[in-house]
Amino acid sequence: MINGNSQFNQLPKELDSVFSELEINKHLRQAGIKKSFGFSCSYLFQLIFCLIFQHRNWFSLLDSKKADQFPAKDAVYRFLNQATFNWRRFLLLLSTFTIRKVASLTNRTRPKVFIIDDSSYDRNRSKKVELLARCFDHASLKMRFYKGFRMLTLGWSDGHTFMPIDFSLVSSRKSQINGISDHIDKRTCGYKRRQNALQTEPEQIPDMIKRALTSGIEASYVLMDSWFTLPPLVKAIVDQGLDVIGMVKETKQRYNVNDKMVSLKQLYRLAVPVPSGKGVLRSIHTTMANGTPVKVVFIQNRNKKSEWLAILSTDCTLSEQEIVRIYGMRWDIEVFFKTTKSLLKLEKEFQSRSYDALIAHTTIVFTRFIVLSWQNRCNTDERTIGGLFYELCDEVNELDWAVALQQLIELLQDVIKQTNKKIKKLIQSQLEQWISNLPSYIKAYLPISVCES
């Protein structure tokens, strides 16, 4: 664990190298996460970050024999509850920096996507948590209500590595149990996050994407499930220069086909069958009610083969198979939610009533995932070691080997001229012996004067 002897020698060697490589402490300072006295923010951040890898929570650590080596409980909670820290900026800086590293290992022709989805953030045993709301879990098989938040998340993926970029713990104006604390300073980042939490999810998504694009993250598509593929949101994303690929379901939403507004079921009947589509049934070019041109692909439902599912794409140039393949990358965010909750102790590690602490701890959990994703990419990506080696080999092969061999011999002849007679005779004899042992097809590429010598 982290020793209390030095604030500058706290991390295990494996994590210390990753923290330095990803410049995490630098990003903390740039986001205004710093203190003028006491335990430094980087120390407290690393302390909380490492708890998960020791299979301990903060309370069990304070009850251990090494409790006197660590800060008091209040120091950690003051750090988490600080409303002036810009955790959103920190996560954006870190994810942007890491994505640039990952992108250098990714083929340029490979599609890179933003993924939008939400997940439940349970606080069922809580009563006085700030902005606590009664939420409906549409993803659960039980279709249950719970106390907590909706964790709206924006992520980036290249099909191999997923990186969280931004998130919002969404409350509710209608089903709100607790409101915003009266003690919060309205000038702080924490108050802005609270105001943000009272917006609906479709209202927040365009701003999330805009922040990601402004920071320099590159993507071509935005992937969403059927809860977000709504005409106003699709148009808002397309206006930012990105295409949308998302699942659609049968709702009141209508599509324009030959100046006639039809439902999704009627659209399926009008769609053209795709021959030998391997699960792809039909497709059709149409226009949404707000005038956005789209291509809708109907595929067979694997769980119930008598039914079909519909995937919408605003990039009408893509083939049906390519639309389905790119949409399959959306599963990365589901794996992310499962990992953060089951392995990285999201929702469970700290039980604070402050909304700032919820934001801070969620950001630290997301940081854990980013670090582990980068480590996994470095250990499994062929281009990090072997792939880069072969790329260098390809660059060397671009140089004509015959020209290189001639240049090498000419260089040796120049060196011979500048040496004394004894060394000159020795080098000349060795060179002649080496040339005589070469295959005839290589000798053919050498200058005649060299072969005669």
Side-chain angles (χ1 to χ4, degrees):
M1 193 57 189
I2 300 175
N3 293 323
N5 298 330
S6 173
Q7 292 190 34
F8 304 100
N9 185 24
Q10 316 161 36
L11 292 167
K13 291 181 180 179
E14 297 82 1
L15 289 175
D16 188 40
S17 61
V18 181
F19 265 61
S20 299
E21 186 179 11
L22 299 183
E23 300 182 1
I24 291 178
N25 293 335
K26 176 184 175 181
H27 300 319
L28 285 170
R29 293 192 299 271
Q30 289 179 340
I33 304 175
K34 52 189 176 181
K35 293 169 61 179
S36 56
F37 60 89
F39 291 98
S40 69
C41 287
S42 61
Y43 171 76
L44 296 173
F45 180 90
Q46 292 169 12
L47 177 63
I48 299 170
F49 182 93
C50 290
L51 287 175
I52 184 68
F53 303 107
Q54 299 297 322
H55 306 287
R56 289 190 175 192
N57 58 30
W58 182 233
F59 295 101
S60 64
L61 189 65
L62 292 178
D63 288 338
S64 66
K65 297 179 181 179
K66 298 181 179 180
D68 56 342
Q69 298 179 3
F70 305 107
K73 179 180 71 174
D74 292 344
V76 171
Y77 276 97
R78 279 196 300 268
F79 171 73
L80 294 173
N81 293 336
Q82 184 59 253
T84 58
F85 292 166
N86 195 342
W87 289 106
R88 171 167 277 157
R89 176 168 170 76
F90 165 74
L91 182 61
L92 189 59
L93 287 170
L94 176 61
S95 59
T96 302
F97 185 83
T98 311
I99 286 170
R100 285 173 182 166
K101 284 181 166 291
V102 172
S104 65
L105 306 175
T106 306
N107 193 314
R108 292 181 181 179
T109 61
R110 191 181 185 91
K112 302 170 185 64
V113 300
F114 289 132
I115 307 175
I116 287 283
D117 203 0
D118 65 350
S119 182
S120 61
Y121 190 99
D122 288 353
R123 291 301 298 265
N124 272 318
R125 299 181 64 184
S126 302
K127 295 181 179 179
K128 297 184 179 180
V129 172
E130 192 176 2
L131 286 176
L132 189 70
R134 188 169 179 265
C135 304
F136 178 68
D137 187 4
H138 57 78
S140 173
L141 295 176
K142 297 180 180 179
M143 303 293 281
R144 65 188 178 94
F145 283 92
Y146 66 94
K147 288 192 295 182
F149 306 89
R150 296 299 302 169
M151 187 175 70
L152 177 65
T153 306
L154 171 67
W156 176 94
S157 175
D158 62 353
H160 188 287
T161 302
F162 177 85
M163 292 288 172
I165 298 172
D166 200 354
F167 73 93
S168 177
L169 296 181
V170 183
S171 183
S172 172
R173 292 185 184 273
K174 296 181 180 179
S175 305
Q176 192 178 101
I177 298 174
N178 299 321
I180 299 176
S181 172
D182 297 330
H183 304 291
I184 185 70
D185 190 338
K186 295 183 179 180
R187 299 168 296 178
T188 60
C189 299
Y191 182 77
K192 294 177 182 177
R193 292 295 290 257
R194 288 165 169 81
Q195 290 293 103
N196 200 226
L198 296 175
Q199 293 180 312
T200 63
E201 293 182 351
E203 290 174 340
Q204 297 186 48
I205 290 173
D207 291 334
M208 284 184 169
I209 295 174
K210 184 178 179 180
R211 284 191 292 267
L213 292 174
T214 304
S215 69
I217 300 175
E218 296 181 356
S220 302
Y221 304 98
V222 178
L223 309 184
M224 305 183 292
D225 65 7
S226 58
W227 294 96
F228 299 101
T229 314
L230 308 173
L233 181 56
V234 170
K235 188 176 187 305
I237 295 173
V238 171
D239 289 343
Q240 295 192 44
L242 297 173
D243 285 303
V244 175
I245 299 178
M247 187 78 70
V248 287
K249 58 183 179 180
E250 179 65 28
T251 59
K252 295 181 180 180
Q253 184 173 322
R254 293 293 181 264
Y255 303 89
N256 190 340
V257 180
N258 298 326
D259 297 328
K260 183 180 179 180
M261 305 304 291
V262 299
S263 66
L264 191 63
K265 287 184 178 179
Q266 293 171 327
L267 192 67
Y268 175 77
R269 299 189 190 101
L270 297 172
V272 179
V274 178
S276 63
K278 295 183 179 179
V280 180
L281 304 176
R282 304 184 178 198
S283 70
I284 187 172
H285 291 268
T286 182
T287 305
M288 301 181 81
N290 59 3
T292 306
V294 296
K295 181 176 182 178
V296 181
V297 178
F298 297 92
I299 60 174
Q300 191 175 51
N301 189 344
R302 289 183 179 179
N303 299 325
K304 199 171 184 180
K305 293 187 177 182
S306 61
E307 297 180 356
W308 48 261
L309 302 172
I311 302 175
L312 174 149
S313 171
T314 58
D315 186 355
C316 300
T317 62
L318 293 175
S319 65
E320 291 82 3
Q321 289 75 15
E322 190 70 7
I323 291 173
V324 175
R325 187 186 71 80
I326 294 174
Y327 182 75
M329 296 167 66
R330 199 197 70 82
W331 186 251
D332 289 351
I333 200 169
E334 303 292 352
V335 177
F336 165 75
F337 288 144
K338 180 67 174 179
T339 303
T340 52
K341 292 181 180 181
S342 300
L343 302 177
L344 303 183
K345 301 297 183 182
L346 183 68
E347 308 171 330
K348 305 169 186 175
E349 198 169 36
F350 283 88
Q351 300 293 322
S352 177
R353 299 177 181 179
S354 168
Y355 189 79
D356 293 308
L358 300 181
I359 293 293
H361 182 254
T362 303
T363 305
I364 294 173
V365 171
F366 282 21
T367 305
R368 290 170 179 165
F369 187 89
I370 290 173
V371 169
L372 293 174
S373 294
W374 172 243
Q375 284 290 83
N376 180 66
R377 185 61 179 258
C378 289
N379 293 332
T380 60
D381 195 300
E382 294 179 354
R383 292 190 59 185
T384 53
I385 300 175
L388 291 177
F389 169 76
Y390 289 119
E391 283 190 2
L392 290 174
C393 291
D394 292 338
E395 292 179 9
V396 172
N397 287 336
E398 292 175 0
L399 179 64
D400 192 326
W401 64 270
V403 174
L405 187 57
Q406 291 179 8
Q407 291 177 353
L408 177 61
I409 293 176
E410 289 172 3
L411 180 62
L412 285 173
Q413 289 178 332
D414 292 338
V415 172
I416 290 172
K417 293 177 182 178
Q418 299 175 7
T419 58
N420 57 50
K421 292 183 179 181
K422 188 176 181 180
I423 297 177
K424 179 179 179 180
K425 187 177 181 180
L426 177 62
I427 296 176
Q428 188 72 29
S429 64
Q430 291 291 333
L431 182 60
E432 290 174 0
Q433 183 180 355
W434 176 69
I435 292 174
S436 64
N437 292 329
L438 290 175
S440 57
Y441 70 89
I442 293 181
K443 288 182 181 179
Y445 286 94
L446 297 178
I448 297 175
S449 59
V450 174
C451 295
E452 289 177 351
S453 62

